Amino acid sequence: EDNDLEDIDSLLEKIEDTNGLLPQTQSGVIADSRPLLYVEHRNLNPENELKRYFGARAVLGDQRPRQRQRQYVRSTWLTAPKNTWPRYSKTGISMQLLDTRRGVQHFTFEHHREYQQVQFKFLDAVESMDPNNIVLLLQMNPYHVDSLLQLSDVCRMQEDQEMARDLIERALYSLECTFHPVFSLTSGTCRLDYRRPENRAFFLALFKHLMFLEKRGCPRTALEFCKLILSLDPENDPLCVLLLIDFLSLRAREYTFLTRMFQEWESHRNLSQLPNFAFSVPLAYFFLSQQEERPELERSQARERAARLIQLALVMFPSILTPLLDRCSVQPDAGVASHSFFGLNAQISQPPALNQLTSLYVGRTHALWKDPAVMAWLETNVHEVLRMVDARDPLVEESEHKRKMRYQSAPRNIYRHVILSEMKEATAALPLEVTSQPVMGFDPLPPLDSIISYTRPERYLVHPSFLCWHSQPVPSIPALLQGDVRHDGEEEAGAGQDLNQGVNRLMAAMRDMLANIQFQEPPRDDNPEGDGDWD
C-alpha cells in the first residue's frame, strides 16, 4: 500500500510539472508560463515534502487505517483536521467578494453579530491579563480565531511548541471553512486588505504557520505559504514577507525561483535596495553555478552574475560583512580586518532603519554562508571590492550617498515583520516608539489607516494597559482545551489552585500597601509654621 502511495504521488508530481512548464531557454532560465506567485496545492502539505525526504512509510506509518475512520468529511488545503479537535460548527465568520478590477478579485472576511459578541469577550479576556480566561473562552467557542492565535503565543512562550502549532492549524482550518466559493489559493489574483481587522487573522495565522513549518524542517512548504501571503497583497506586503522569501528559497534550494523573482520585480520594486535580496540573489547564482548537471555555458553565466551582484552588495551594504563573519566564526585576513571600509565605522554610521534590516538578515541567514566554498567565493569578491575602494571607484561614493539619504525610517510593515520574526538581533534595534507600545500576538502594530466595520460598545472599553501578560503560567492548557477539567483534587489541579491562591494573596497585599500609602502635603503660603522650602 505504501509503495502504491509513493507511485501515485510521483505520478501526480509529473502531471503537475508538465502542465505549465516549458523547456529550458538558451539563457538557462526555466521558462515558466505560470505567474510568479502561483501556488501549488501539493506544496502546501508538509507531509508531501517529508515523504520526499524520508519516504511514505516513514512519514505516514499506521495513520492511513485511522484516517478511514475519521469523522471529518470537509477537505481543506491549508491544514488537515485532527481527531483531537472539537467538532467544527459555523463560527459566525463569512467571506464576501467586494469587487473585481482588472482581473483581480478583492475579498474580505466579515464577522456576524454573534461572532462580534465573542470578539468583545475575547478583548475583555486579554485586558484581564489572565490567559486562563482565553482558555475558558475557547472551551465555549473552540474555533474563535483570535483566541487561538493569542493562546498559541502563550504556549510558545512556555515552550509547548506542539500545542502552539496545533492551535495555529486549528485557526487556519476555521478560516478556510469560511472561504468564498470563488476564492482561490492558487491563482495569485485574490486579494485581502490588511487594513480591515477581520482579514488580519488570516495573514497572521499563515505567517505563524510557515514559521513552524520552517523550524520543522519543511522549507519548501514554508516557501509556498510565503508566496501565498505575498499574493494576498503584493503591493503593500503588510507582513513584509519580502524580507523572508529569499531565505526560504535558499533553504528549499529553489534558486531559479529567487533569481526569476529578482529579474521580474527589480525594475518596479527595487529589490536590490533590500540587503537580503542584495546578498541572497548572488548566493543563489553561486549555488546554480555549482550544479554540475547544468551546461557549462549556463554555469559560467551564473558565476559572472554572482560575482557582479555580490560586489554591488558589498559596496552598498559594507556593514553586513563583519557581523556575518562573526556569526560564521570566521576570522577575516589582516587586509580586510584593518581596512576602514568594512570596519566598525561602517556599522556605526548606518541609519537605524538599515541597522534593523542588516541585523535581521545576518541573524536569519548566517548558517547558509558557512559552507567553505561559499566563504572562499566571498573572500575573493571582498578583496575585489577593496581594490575598487582604494581606486576611488565612483560607485563607492554613490552608494554611500544612497545609504545616507535612504533608510531614515522603516515603514510599519517592517517593524511588524521584525516583531513576528522574533529575531533578537533585529528586535533589539527597534525604535522606542515601537517598543513602548503594547504589542499583542493577535494584532501586532495595527495599520494607522485601518478600515473599521464595527466597534466595541462603551461598556466594553477598558484602558489597554496590557504588555507581556502572556508570560504568566497557564496550568494544563491541553487538558482545558479538550474539556478534561479535573475536579477530584489531583496534583496538577492542586498546583494550579495553589498558584492562583498565591497570586490572589499577592494582589491583596499590594492593594493594602497602596491603600495605606500617605503622601506628604506640600507647605502652603498661608502656613506660618512651614519649616522651609518643599522639594
Side-chain angles (χ1 to χ4, degrees), residues 134-152:
I134 297 183
V135 175
L136 296 175
L137 182 66
L138 276 175
Q139 285 185 303
M140 301 299 296
N141 307 275
Y143 286 94
H144 180 256
V145 178
D146 282 350
S147 296
L148 293 168
L149 295 179
Q150 190 66 45
L151 197 58
S152 174

Side-chain angles (χ1 to χ4, degrees), residues 135-202:
V135 175
L136 296 175
L137 182 66
L138 276 175
Q139 285 185 303
M140 301 299 296
N141 307 275
Y143 286 94
H144 180 256
V145 178
D146 282 350
S147 296
L148 293 168
L149 295 179
Q150 190 66 45
L151 197 58
S152 174
D153 282 353
V154 176
C155 295
R156 193 169 41 78
M157 294 290 179
Q158 298 182 356
E159 299 183 358
D160 189 351
Q161 302 294 331
E162 189 65 29
M163 176 57 66
R165 189 178 70 191
D166 187 81
L167 293 170
I168 294 298
E169 291 178 0
R170 197 198 298 185
L172 283 175
Y173 177 73
S174 176
L175 290 168
E176 187 174 0
C177 288
T178 67
F179 280 179
H180 191 278
V182 299
F183 182 82
S184 171
L185 295 171
T186 61
S187 67
T189 59
C190 295
R191 302 287 186 266
L192 287 172
D193 193 340
Y194 194 82
R195 293 176 299 170
R196 297 180 180 271
E198 297 90 340
N199 295 337
R200 293 172 198 162
F202 189 51

